[in-house]
């Protein structure tokens, strides 16, 4: 073998050894990082007992939703079948536009009720089989027993908030359009004598607005500076540009603008004028349940815009925005109450506690409705109205937790 060949093999051997040393060091570093970040791994917190309870919780929750929503659909079909037939609603629209959006809306609306039923049902069964007693006798504290329940609540609450804030509003638009076409035929599509502030010192007025054609009649736009009128625009008609890439584009017909400078006045007029006015069709026509058709970011922007305009018709939007956040925490409160009530083994089974659970769940939902009504009609702060049910039931949950078996 030549000397050059030996030298070449030697260099290759050194390169292989260097790669092996690098791999060994990399494994060592990764092992250290894994040991440092081990507290982030789910297996550190979620043990076999936790998986057992989480599967029971989530499984019973889904089963209760499927059962109750199925019954609700049967009753809803029976109630609305005559209307669907009267207005000739197509089967595809009934299934895809109505019931495909009906199910997630009501499932999420009554999610606290389903959580409570699920907790009461399977926890009472565990207590009846002496499984809770065995866990406590093995040294598992009641606080430790609550861990898998809280983990399940995190998953349910996150899903519930995501659905209510981003997914369900789009489906609500489709469902409400279906109802206005094939069910009640009472959707509000016009407004009269609308006046709103569209900018700082800028007041718009429309005598009549038709939301179907997106056209307004009898339009005027007044601009004030230091409480003095400096510009007055009138138009016989104003049309919203629905195909524009940006918002707030309007076309005025038969327009006239009066510019006021002291005692002098300058008048310009024309047949058509493209202009930008900071208002949209949604600002002009309000329909029942409109706040439910906005996603949370859209709701927040709308509330901010209406407050800047000085509008007083924003309370129901504020209540809806805060209620979506507050409702996602209801799972934690009602789960704590449910576990505390049903974890003790008693004679007579779970009937009593299931009844108490249903009563408390319906009480929570009723309190949500009542507090929202007070916010709209009795000047209660919207954020307080949204959180009142959670505050009251948090006290009940704490009382039940303190008296739970340990």
């Amino acid at each position: 073998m030549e000397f050059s060949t030996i030298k070449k093999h030697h260099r290759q051997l050194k390169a292989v050894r260097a790669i092996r040393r690098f791999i060994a060091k990399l494994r060592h570093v990764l092992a250290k990082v894994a040991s440092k970040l081990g507290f982030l791994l789910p297996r550190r917190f979620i043990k076999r007992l936790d998986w057992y309870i989480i599967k029971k919780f989530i499984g019973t929750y889904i089963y209760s939703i499927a059962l109750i929503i199925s019954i609700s659909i049967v009753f809803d079909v029976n109630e609305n079948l005559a209307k669907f037939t009267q207005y000739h609603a197509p089967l595809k629209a009934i299934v895809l536009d109505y019931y495909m959006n009906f199910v997630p809306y009501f499932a999420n609306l009554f999610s606290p009720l389903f959580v409570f039923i699920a907790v009461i049902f399977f926890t009472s069964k565990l207590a009846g089989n002496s499984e809770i007693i065995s866990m406590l006798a093995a040294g598992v504290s009641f606080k430790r027993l609550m861990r898998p329940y809280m983990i399940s609540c995190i998953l349910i609450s996150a899903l519930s908030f995501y659905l209510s804030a981003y997914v369900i509003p789009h489906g609500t638009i489709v469902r409400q359009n279906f109802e206005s076409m094939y069910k009640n035929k009472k959707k509000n599509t016009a407004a009269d004598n609308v006046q709103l502030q569209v900018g700082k010192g800028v007041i718009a007025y429309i005598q009549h607005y038709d939301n179907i054609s997106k056209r307004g009649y009898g339009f005027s736009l007044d601009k004030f500076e230091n409480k003095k009128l400096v510009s007055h625009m009138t138009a016989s008609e104003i049309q919203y540009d629905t195909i524009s890439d940006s918002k707030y584009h309007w076309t005025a017909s038969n327009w006239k603008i009066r510019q006021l400078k002291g005692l002098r006045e300058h008048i310009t007029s024309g047949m058509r004028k493209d202009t930008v006015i900071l208002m949209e069709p949604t600002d002009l026509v309000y329909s029942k349940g409109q706040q439910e058709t906005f996603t949370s970011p859209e709701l927040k922007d709308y509330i901010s815009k209406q407050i800047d305009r000085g509008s007083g018709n924003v309370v129901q939007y504020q209540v809806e925005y805060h209620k979506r956040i507050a409702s996602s925490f209801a799972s934690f409160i009602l789960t704590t109450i449910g576990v505390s009530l049903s974890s003790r083994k008693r004679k007579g089974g779970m009937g009593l506690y299931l009844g108490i659970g249903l009563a408390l769940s319906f009480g929570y939902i009723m309190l949500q409705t009542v507090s929202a009504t007070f916010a709209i009609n009795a000047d209660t702060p919207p954020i307080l109205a949204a959180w009142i049910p959670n505050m009251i039931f948090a006290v009940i949950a704490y009382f039940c937790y303190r008296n739970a078996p340990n």
Side-chain angles (χ1 to χ4, degrees), residues 286 302 306 310-317:
Y286 172 76
Y302 182 83
Q306 293 299 99
S311 175
N313 189 28
V314 295
V315 177
Q316 59 266 38
Y317 296 91

Side-chain angles (χ1 to χ4, degrees), residues 96-248:
L96 298 181
D97 295 345
Y98 185 66
Y99 284 109
M100 287 295 290
N101 296 302
F102 171 92
V103 171
Y105 174 79
F106 283 97
N108 192 68
L109 179 65
F110 295 106
S111 180
L113 172 64
F114 299 139
V115 168
F116 211 93
I117 290 174
V119 170
I120 291 286
F121 185 81
F122 88 88
T123 306
S124 296
K125 193 172 181 180
L126 292 179
N129 296 334
S130 301
E131 294 181 65
I132 300 292
I133 295 175
S134 301
M135 296 174 192
L136 297 176
V140 177
S141 64
F142 190 77
K143 181 179 179 181
R144 171 64 181 84
L145 185 63
M146 290 291 295
R147 181 195 293 179
Y149 288 94
M150 294 298 104
I151 294 173
S152 302
C153 287
I154 290 173
L155 300 176
I156 293 172
S157 298
L159 178 62
S160 177
F161 176 75
Y162 177 76
L163 288 175
S164 63
Y166 298 99
V167 178
I168 292 177
H170 297 297
T172 302
I173 297 174
V174 178
R175 181 173 57 83
Q176 289 183 355
N177 290 336
F178 174 91
E179 290 176 347
S180 65
M181 291 178 64
Y182 302 113
K183 190 176 176 183
N184 47 36
K185 299 281 187 177
K186 293 181 180 178
K187 187 175 181 180
N188 188 18
T189 59
D192 294 314
N193 299 320
V194 180
Q195 184 173 358
L196 69 159
Q197 181 174 312
V198 297
K200 187 176 181 180
V202 182
I203 308 297
Y205 171 80
I206 300 178
Q207 185 177 3
H208 177 77
Y209 176 77
D210 183 8
N211 196 42
I212 297 177
S213 61
K214 301 293 188 292
R215 184 184 296 270
Y217 304 91
F219 174 77
S220 67
L221 187 70
D222 296 329
K223 184 177 181 180
F224 295 86
E225 289 182 1
N226 298 323
K227 299 182 180 180
K228 292 183 178 180
L229 181 66
V230 297
S231 175
H232 176 69
M233 174 184 175
T234 59
S236 61
E237 294 182 4
I238 187 169
Q239 175 71 52
Y240 185 69
D241 189 354
T242 57
I243 61 174
S244 176
D245 294 333
S246 57
K247 299 188 294 184
Y248 311 128

